[in-house]
Amino acid sequence: MTTALTGPAQTRRAPSARRTLIGTGIGNAVEWYDWAIYATFAPYFAAQLFSNTDPTSAILSTLAIFAVGFVARPFGGFIFGWIGDRIGRKSSMTLAVGLAALGSLLIGISPTFGAVGAWASLLLLVARLIQGLAHGGELPSSQTYLSEMAPREKRGLWSTLIYTSGTVGILGGTLLGAVLSGVLSKADMAAWGWRIPFLIGAAFGLYALIMRARLKETDAFEHETVQERHEPMWPQIVRHRRQALQVIGLTVGLTVSYYIWGVVAPTYASTTLGMDRGEALWASSIALVVFIAILPLWGRAADRFGRKPIMWASALGAAAMHYPMIWLLRDSPWQLTVSMSVMLFFIAGSAAIVPAVYAELFPTSIRTVGVGVPYSICVALFGGTAPYLQQWLTGLGSANLFNVYSVALLLVSAVVVFTIPETKAKDLSH
């Protein structure tokens, strides 16, 4: 027999839910903000932290380090996944956001190439690797934590907080870039203005760390037996290799499309298509607001109709609209707004619910690392290299090869959806 919560019990539960959503959301937003402002402000600090004798080489080197940061993510996924599955989801999340803030601080105070030579580039590399470790641990830890804390019948809706808060972080960095570009001269932006967002990220990271330290651990983790919690990890990883491959397959199309259309599109529009930098950032901001607004609708639909129909609609819709939106996008801000909005509308379908889907594929004892390692490997191999690959192929006059590549990966994700079970409202307590 169950009894409805009333009086003090109900009062205690509501603040707990709010604390969970706020603590998880703020930390996740800071992580994504720290991660994305690198791409947003790369055109400004490329010549400061690398030799400015060849501007094209400097921006390519900066984007290469963007990709190198992704190399650290699988290691972060394993380290923080181990912490999450052995010590606790809360501890993993708290440590991850603190490490991300440290990476932003290092970039914000980094000396220039003119002052210390190649040491400036090396410090940027170290800072990006730190952020890669942190971001590799943040997503699986926060996804697992949120999924285990959510009511099972609303897990799809709750899971939308991951990309909602993350995109709020990206949007914050984008808006800050637009404001700074309008207030400061290009010379001031190149000289010192680009440091501002990284220092802000470090400050907010400290606040997020304090917020997460006050969260409670999930019941699913606390109810595990000592034997379950200390079962050797590698045999479990091998035993759940099918699920790991499914995570990679479901992620591959989403990660490339999201990074191209949701993160680096304004940089591509300004550096390759000749669009005004400030106008590109404002156009991108509008599209990101559309993305944020549509995420809860996809989450509610997944709780009602199931995970698989939503993921099919997302992958196939994005694949169908990729070429039309590429053809639309030229040198006008309204074209960037429309093309990004349309693509992000469909990308949002998968982005809204994959945190829940990933968690529902694995048992409690390996849920964090089981998601973290394959997810991070996939994002490192495909998401991290996407901006560089797009820039490189465009420079060679072979931009269409990248478009074929993007659509093909979306179709791969659509096919992989056939292989997973329908996990709507699954019990995550075991």
Side-chain angles (χ1 to χ4, degrees):
M1 175 179 290
T2 60
T3 303
L5 284 173
T6 60
Q10 188 177 37
T11 303
R12 286 194 299 269
R13 182 171 182 176
S16 176
R18 287 196 295 270
R19 191 178 298 115
T20 295
L21 294 172
I22 293 172
T24 306
I26 288 178
N28 196 55
V30 170
E31 286 266 4
W32 286 50
Y33 168 92
D34 288 339
W35 191 254
I37 56 175
Y38 185 99
T40 301
F41 289 89
Y44 296 114
F45 66 76
Q48 295 293 310
L49 303 183
F50 293 91
S51 173
N52 60 6
T53 55
D54 184 353
T56 301
S57 177
I59 188 65
L60 285 175
S61 297
T62 308
L63 290 177
I65 288 185
F66 180 81
V68 167
F70 281 84
V71 175
R73 290 182 63 155
F75 298 98
F78 180 79
I79 294 170
F80 286 92
W82 183 90
I83 294 172
D85 288 333
R86 293 295 181 265
I87 301 175
R89 309 343 186 178
K90 170 188 166 180
S91 298
S92 182
M93 291 167 57
T94 304
L95 181 58
V97 76
L99 202 60
L102 174 62
S104 278
L105 178 63
L106 290 177
I107 297 176
I109 64 175
S110 178
T112 65
F113 187 92
V116 298
W119 288 104
S121 306
L122 179 61
L123 182 59
L124 178 66
L125 175 63
V126 170
R128 196 59 179 170
L129 288 174
I130 290 174
Q131 287 187 323
L133 284 172
H135 207 65
E138 163 64 20
L139 279 173
S141 299
S142 60
Q143 288 175 1
T144 300
Y145 182 84
L146 189 65
S147 295
E148 290 181 349
M149 293 293 286
R152 56 192 290 181
E153 71 279 0
K154 294 183 179 180
R155 192 180 298 127
L157 176 61
W158 275 49
S159 73
T160 64
L161 177 67
I162 297 299
Y163 270 85
T164 298
S165 60
T167 307
V168 167
I170 293 174
L171 180 59
T174 303
L175 288 173
L176 182 58
V179 170
L180 290 176
S181 298
V183 173
L184 301 178
S185 67
K186 290 185 178 180
D188 286 340
M189 278 295 296
W192 55 269
W194 61 268
R195 297 181 184 274
I196 295 175
F198 293 101
L199 296 176
I200 291 175
F204 275 109
L206 177 60
Y207 175 71
L209 187 151
I210 295 171
M211 288 289 295
R212 286 190 166 181
R214 297 174 177 174
L215 296 176
K216 69 181 291 291
E217 187 53 80
T218 70
D219 290 340
F221 178 80
E222 290 187 333
H223 291 166
E224 273 193 300
T225 65
V226 174
Q227 180 178 359
E228 289 172 330
R229 194 172 297 173
H230 292 87
E231 183 181 350
M233 188 160 289
W234 282 112
Q236 291 187 78
I237 292 175
V238 173
R239 191 160 64 246
H240 294 90
R241 59 188 179 275
R242 174 182 171 85
Q243 290 92 327
L245 291 174
Q246 288 170 332
V247 168
I248 292 175
L250 295 173
T251 303
V252 67
L254 170 66
T255 187
V256 171
S257 293
Y258 181 78
Y259 272 100
I260 291 304
W261 288 103
V263 179
V264 302
T267 298
Y268 175 79
S270 61
T271 59
T272 302
L273 303 179
M275 195 178 300
D276 177 79
R277 178 67 179 170
E279 291 181 345
L281 290 174
W282 283 114
S284 174
S285 299
I286 295 172
L288 290 175
V289 170
V290 172
F291 180 71
I292 292 170
I294 203 66
L295 282 168
L297 301 181
W298 284 114
R300 288 192 180 96
D303 284 331
R304 180 174 181 181
F305 302 109
R307 316 303 193 212
K308 297 176 71 168
I310 301 305
M311 298 191 74
W312 275 319
S314 173
L316 295 176
M321 295 307 298
H322 182 89
Y323 268 102
M325 294 304 102
I326 285 291
W327 295 329
L328 172 66
L329 181 57
R330 292 295 178 262
D331 59 357
S332 173
W334 76 263
Q335 294 169 340
L336 179 62
T337 301
V338 172
S339 59
M340 282 187 66
S341 297
V342 170
M343 290 303 297
L344 288 174
F345 174 87
F346 288 103
I347 293 170
S350 291
I353 63 170
V354 287
V357 173
Y358 296 154
E360 290 162 351
L361 289 175
F362 291 91
T364 304
S365 61
I366 196 178
R367 186 165 291 139
T368 312
V369 75
V371 173
V373 173
Y375 178 85
S376 298
I377 289 174
C378 180
V379 174
L381 291 176
F382 296 95
T385 58
Y388 187 88
L389 185 61
Q390 182 186 41
Q391 187 88 13
W392 179 62
L393 289 174
T394 301
L396 294 177
S398 303
N400 189 53
L401 286 178
F402 183 80
N403 294 325
V404 172
Y405 169 78
S406 300
V407 172
L409 293 182
L410 286 167
L411 295 178
V412 167
S413 292
V415 171
V416 172
V417 175
F418 282 100
T419 71
I420 66 172
E422 178 54 65
T423 54
K424 182 183 73 169
K426 180 180 178 181
D427 182 5
L428 297 185
S429 62
H430 52 76

